[in-house]
Amino acid sequence: MKPSDLIAQLAHCPSLSGTPVVGLDLPAIKQLTPQPTLITCLLLPGDDAEPNDLQNATRQNIRDRFEVLVLLDPAVNGSLQTLDRLHDLRAELWRALVGWRPSPGQEPVEYAGSELLQCDATRVLWRYAFVAPFQLGRSRASQPAESWHEHQLDSLPLLKGVTVQVDAIDPADPNLRQPGPDGRIEMTFSGELNP
């Protein structure tokens, strides 16, 4: 999922003022200085992929993971109000993200839980985790290729017809030690395909 799409969707949270900081490094986010207003950070830790479940094509279920981290200063409003604010923010994030489809091929975003990452007299860092499931591998041949195998299949010429030649086992050739096909074609048939 594109971080820019996610940031645009987070604009539906009234409590998140300003653009979230996009971070790739949790230790660097933990070093941010708390401000009187909350600081929102977007962390994209990766994805989880299940093994391919097809033998002759690609179909993998993948879950994009992303996290919204909130940094608050509990000294500004007090501990109880800070906890209330975290509770209210969770409800706003649910309204903005849960059920949202980041792209046409993706499943709706799901909530994956939250946790306290850091807490002391001057800072509270809280993580809200979400996942966006999708399938790698197209569902219809009319969709664009998503894997190398699909790309190769798309480059093949269209199948316009089939010719089948049959070399029957019986009657067996008496000159052979074991009965089996003798190399003579006993039957041929063809068919044309109209896509």
XYZ file of all heavy atoms in Angstrom, residues 3-55:
384
model
N 2.151 4.768 1.102
C 2.051 5.608 2.303
C 1.272 6.899 2.047
O 0.560 7.369 2.935
C 3.513 5.902 2.662
C 4.286 4.803 2.050
C 3.535 4.404 0.813
N 1.376 7.447 0.839
C 0.652 8.698 0.551
C -0.863 8.487 0.614
O -1.595 9.359 1.093
C 1.060 9.255 -0.812
O 0.866 8.286 -1.823
N -1.354 7.320 0.156
C -2.790 7.020 0.253
C -3.213 6.886 1.714
O -4.289 7.331 2.111
C -3.128 5.729 -0.495
C -2.924 5.852 -1.995
O -2.886 6.996 -2.505
O -2.805 4.803 -2.653
N -2.364 6.266 2.503
C -2.671 6.073 3.916
C -2.704 7.408 4.659
O -3.595 7.657 5.473
C -1.636 5.134 4.533
C -1.826 4.739 5.986
C -3.211 4.195 6.248
C -0.778 3.707 6.366
N -1.754 8.281 4.358
C -1.737 9.600 4.999
C -2.990 10.384 4.622
O -3.598 11.055 5.466
C -0.450 10.361 4.612
C 0.738 9.723 5.330
C -0.555 11.838 4.970
C 2.078 10.257 4.906
N -3.413 10.284 3.354
C -4.642 10.971 2.939
C -5.849 10.433 3.699
O -6.746 11.186 4.077
C -4.837 10.820 1.435
N -5.890 9.126 3.959
C -7.007 8.536 4.687
C -6.987 8.944 6.156
O -8.032 9.125 6.780
C -6.978 7.011 4.546
C -8.206 6.314 5.045
C -9.456 6.629 4.242
O -9.387 7.052 3.088
N -10.605 6.431 4.844
N -5.792 9.115 6.721
C -5.685 9.537 8.119
C -6.202 10.953 8.336
O -6.472 11.353 9.469
C -4.233 9.441 8.603
C -3.724 8.031 8.889
C -2.235 8.049 9.192
C -4.500 7.384 10.025
N -6.370 11.717 7.267
C -6.938 13.062 7.388
C -8.383 13.016 7.885
O -8.925 14.034 8.315
C -6.865 13.783 6.043
N -9.025 11.837 7.864
C -10.388 11.684 8.365
C -10.437 11.596 9.892
O -11.521 11.471 10.459
C -11.054 10.451 7.755
C -11.285 10.577 6.274
N -12.327 11.285 5.748
C -10.575 10.110 5.222
C -12.271 11.234 4.429
N -11.204 10.531 4.093
N -9.274 11.621 10.540
C -9.220 11.639 12.008
C -9.095 13.088 12.467
O -8.035 13.701 12.297
C -8.030 10.843 12.520
S -8.129 9.093 12.206
N -10.132 13.658 13.071
C -10.064 15.065 13.476
C -8.960 15.367 14.491
O -8.405 16.460 14.490
C -11.439 15.331 14.104
C -12.312 14.210 13.679
C -11.429 13.056 13.349
N -8.601 14.404 15.328
C -7.595 14.657 16.364
C -6.180 14.706 15.828
O -5.277 15.181 16.505
C -7.657 13.576 17.440
O -8.880 13.633 18.110
N -5.969 14.169 14.638
C -4.617 14.149 14.077
C -4.394 15.432 13.305
O -4.768 15.559 12.152
C -4.426 12.933 13.164
C -4.675 11.570 13.790
C -4.392 10.476 12.797
C -3.845 11.395 15.042
N -3.795 16.397 13.957
C -3.545 17.676 13.301
C -2.212 17.614 12.574
O -1.229 17.103 13.102
C -3.517 18.804 14.336
O -2.528 18.536 15.294
N -2.180 18.108 11.366
C -0.946 18.107 10.591
C -0.712 16.772 9.916
O -1.457 15.817 10.060
N 0.339 16.718 9.146
C 0.692 15.511 8.414
C 1.499 14.582 9.302
O 2.439 15.021 9.962
C 1.530 15.881 7.171
O 0.793 16.807 6.391
C 1.846 14.660 6.347
N 1.147 13.290 9.334
C 1.922 12.354 10.147
C 3.360 12.249 9.646
O 3.634 12.412 8.467
C 1.193 11.021 9.961
C -0.151 11.366 9.430
C 0.006 12.656 8.690
N 4.257 11.987 10.570
C 5.650 11.732 10.222
C 5.739 10.284 9.760
O 5.238 9.387 10.435
C 6.562 11.937 11.453
C 7.989 11.584 11.138
C 6.444 13.361 11.966
N 6.327 10.047 8.587
C 6.499 8.678 8.113
C 7.867 8.209 8.568
O 8.881 8.841 8.281
C 6.377 8.600 6.580
C 6.596 7.177 6.106
C 5.015 9.105 6.139
N 7.890 7.122 9.311
C 9.147 6.634 9.856
C 9.421 5.202 9.461
O 8.506 4.404 9.293
N 10.681 4.884 9.289
C 11.087 3.513 9.002
C 11.836 2.901 10.178
O 12.139 1.733 10.172
C 11.994 3.486 7.759
C 11.353 3.983 6.474
C 12.394 4.046 5.360
C 10.212 3.080 6.062
N 12.148 3.712 11.168
C 13.004 3.280 12.256
C 12.332 3.575 13.593
O 12.191 4.739 13.983
C 14.333 4.033 12.125
C 15.351 3.604 13.154
O 15.184 2.523 13.748
O 16.317 4.355 13.361
N 11.876 2.534 14.293
C 11.197 2.721 15.569
C 12.096 3.391 16.612
O 11.625 4.276 17.331
C 10.656 1.389 16.085
C 9.849 1.453 17.371
C 8.650 2.389 17.235
C 9.392 0.067 17.784
N 13.384 3.049 16.728
C 14.223 3.763 17.706
C 14.287 5.273 17.447
O 14.306 6.062 18.397
C 15.604 3.112 17.543
C 15.302 1.730 17.063
C 14.099 1.893 16.171
N 14.295 5.682 16.164
C 14.318 7.122 15.865
C 13.004 7.777 16.279
O 12.985 8.900 16.788
C 14.579 7.350 14.378
N 11.893 7.061 16.087
C 10.590 7.600 16.494
C 10.539 7.737 18.016
O 10.005 8.708 18.549
C 9.448 6.705 15.964
C 9.375 6.822 14.438
C 8.116 7.073 16.586
C 8.421 5.847 13.778
N 11.147 6.786 18.718
C 11.152 6.844 20.194
C 11.952 8.034 20.722
O 11.756 8.449 21.850
C 11.713 5.541 20.768
C 10.753 4.377 20.678
C 11.336 3.146 21.346
C 10.330 2.017 21.387
N 10.847 0.831 22.074
N 12.833 8.576 19.898
C 13.660 9.711 20.317
C 13.010 11.066 20.050
O 13.552 12.096 20.436
C 15.026 9.659 19.612
C 15.854 8.442 19.967
C 16.114 8.316 21.454
O 16.406 9.290 22.125
N 15.994 7.099 21.982
N 11.852 11.094 19.393
C 11.184 12.375 19.132
C 10.824 13.053 20.451
O 10.504 12.392 21.439
C 9.913 12.155 18.305
C 10.099 11.710 16.853
C 8.758 11.357 16.231
C 10.796 12.785 16.044
N 10.842 14.358 20.444
C 10.505 15.124 21.640
C 9.006 15.384 21.679
O 8.443 15.902 20.711
C 11.252 16.475 21.625
O 12.650 16.207 21.498
C 10.986 17.255 22.888
N 8.315 15.032 22.775
C 6.874 15.291 22.869
C 6.580 16.790 22.782
O 7.360 17.615 23.239
C 6.494 14.737 24.237
C 7.591 13.811 24.612
C 8.821 14.330 23.954
N 5.454 17.109 22.164
C 5.011 18.488 21.992
C 3.681 18.673 22.734
O 3.037 17.699 23.119
C 4.817 18.791 20.497
C 6.054 18.551 19.652
C 7.194 19.484 19.988
O 6.972 20.657 20.262
N 8.418 18.968 19.995
N 3.226 19.925 22.897
C 1.905 20.127 23.523
C 0.776 19.457 22.734
O -0.175 18.960 23.309
C 1.752 21.643 23.533
C 3.140 22.173 23.488
C 3.940 21.181 22.705
N 0.893 19.420 21.406
C -0.074 18.671 20.591
C 0.514 17.304 20.301
O 1.739 17.129 20.324
C -0.354 19.403 19.266
O 0.871 19.529 18.548
C -0.953 20.774 19.508
N -0.342 16.345 20.025
C 0.173 14.995 19.809
C 0.931 14.905 18.494
O 0.652 15.617 17.537
C -0.936 13.953 19.892
C -2.100 13.994 18.911
C -1.763 13.242 17.651
C -3.295 13.356 19.565
N 1.915 14.019 18.452
C 2.689 13.743 17.242
C 2.257 12.376 16.744
O 2.216 11.404 17.491
C 4.202 13.752 17.537
C 4.643 15.133 18.014
C 4.985 13.334 16.300
C 6.097 15.194 18.438
N 1.925 12.305 15.465
C 1.509 11.047 14.853
C 2.608 10.570 13.916
O 3.124 11.333 13.108
C 0.215 11.232 14.043
O -0.744 11.884 14.866
C -0.324 9.910 13.580
N 2.953 9.291 14.031
C 3.969 8.692 13.170
C 3.357 7.482 12.471
O 2.592 6.729 13.067
C 5.173 8.235 13.973
S 5.948 9.542 14.918
N 3.702 7.316 11.223
C 3.248 6.174 10.443
C 4.428 5.249 10.247
O 5.476 5.658 9.745
C 2.712 6.664 9.096
C 2.173 5.627 8.143
C 0.999 4.892 8.769
C 1.751 6.287 6.849
N 4.281 4.014 10.669
C 5.354 3.030 10.565
C 4.864 1.880 9.695
O 3.774 1.340 9.919
C 5.736 2.532 11.964
C 6.959 1.654 12.074
C 8.209 2.417 11.654
C 7.124 1.152 13.504
N 5.655 1.519 8.695
C 5.314 0.414 7.789
C 6.314 -0.716 8.011
O 7.350 -0.774 7.355
C 5.353 0.890 6.330
C 4.480 2.093 6.018
C 4.750 2.627 4.629
C 3.017 1.744 6.172
N 6.022 -1.630 8.957
C 7.010 -2.652 9.317
C 7.161 -3.781 8.310
O 8.104 -4.548 8.396
C 6.488 -3.181 10.649
C 5.036 -2.917 10.628
C 4.839 -1.683 9.792
N 6.256 -3.934 7.350
C 6.406 -4.995 6.358
C 5.095 -5.685 6.066
O 4.013 -5.130 6.255
N 5.203 -6.915 5.595
C 4.013 -7.706 5.287
C 4.266 -9.159 5.645
O 5.396 -9.574 5.862
C 3.614 -7.554 3.812
C 4.735 -7.902 2.841
O 5.446 -8.902 3.067
O 4.905 -7.186 1.849
N 3.181 -9.920 5.730
C 3.240 -11.358 5.994
C 2.638 -12.067 4.797
O 1.548 -11.700 4.340
C 2.438 -11.714 7.255
C 2.974 -11.003 8.485
O 4.195 -11.020 8.680
O 2.165 -10.430 9.237
N 3.334 -13.082 4.283
C 2.865 -13.806 3.098
C 2.713 -15.281 3.408
O 3.585 -15.889 4.023
C 3.841 -13.605 1.943
N 1.597 -15.845 2.960
C 1.387 -17.282 3.065
C 2.008 -17.943 1.833
O 2.173 -17.293 0.797
C -0.108 -17.592 3.132
C -0.771 -17.086 4.399
C -2.263 -17.374 4.454
O -2.775 -18.098 3.560
O -2.915 -16.870 5.370
N 2.333 -19.244 1.909
C 2.897 -19.922 0.731
C 1.902 -19.961 -0.422
O 0.689 -19.886 -0.224
C 3.182 -21.339 1.234
C 3.178 -21.255 2.715
C 2.287 -20.109 3.080
N 2.453 -20.087 -1.630
C 1.623 -20.219 -2.821
C 0.781 -21.491 -2.700
O 1.307 -22.555 -2.379
C 2.530 -20.285 -4.057
C 1.752 -20.275 -5.349
O 0.578 -19.948 -5.386
N 2.411 -20.639 -6.428
N -0.513 -21.401 -2.942
C -1.381 -22.575 -2.781
C -1.794 -23.204 -4.111
O -2.673 -24.065 -4.139
C -2.612 -22.234 -1.932
C -3.503 -21.179 -2.556
O -3.141 -20.616 -3.601
O -4.582 -20.928 -1.994
N -1.152 -22.816 -5.217
C -1.427 -23.413 -6.527
C -0.149 -24.033 -7.083
O 0.946 -23.562 -6.792
C -1.955 -22.356 -7.504
C -3.266 -21.663 -7.119
C -3.600 -20.598 -8.146
C -4.401 -22.666 -7.014
N -0.298 -25.069 -7.913
C 0.871 -25.703 -8.511
C 1.239 -25.104 -9.858
O 2.406 -25.095 -10.236
C 0.635 -27.204 -8.677
C 0.554 -27.940 -7.365
C 0.352 -29.427 -7.562
O 0.135 -29.903 -8.674
N 0.421 -30.174 -6.476
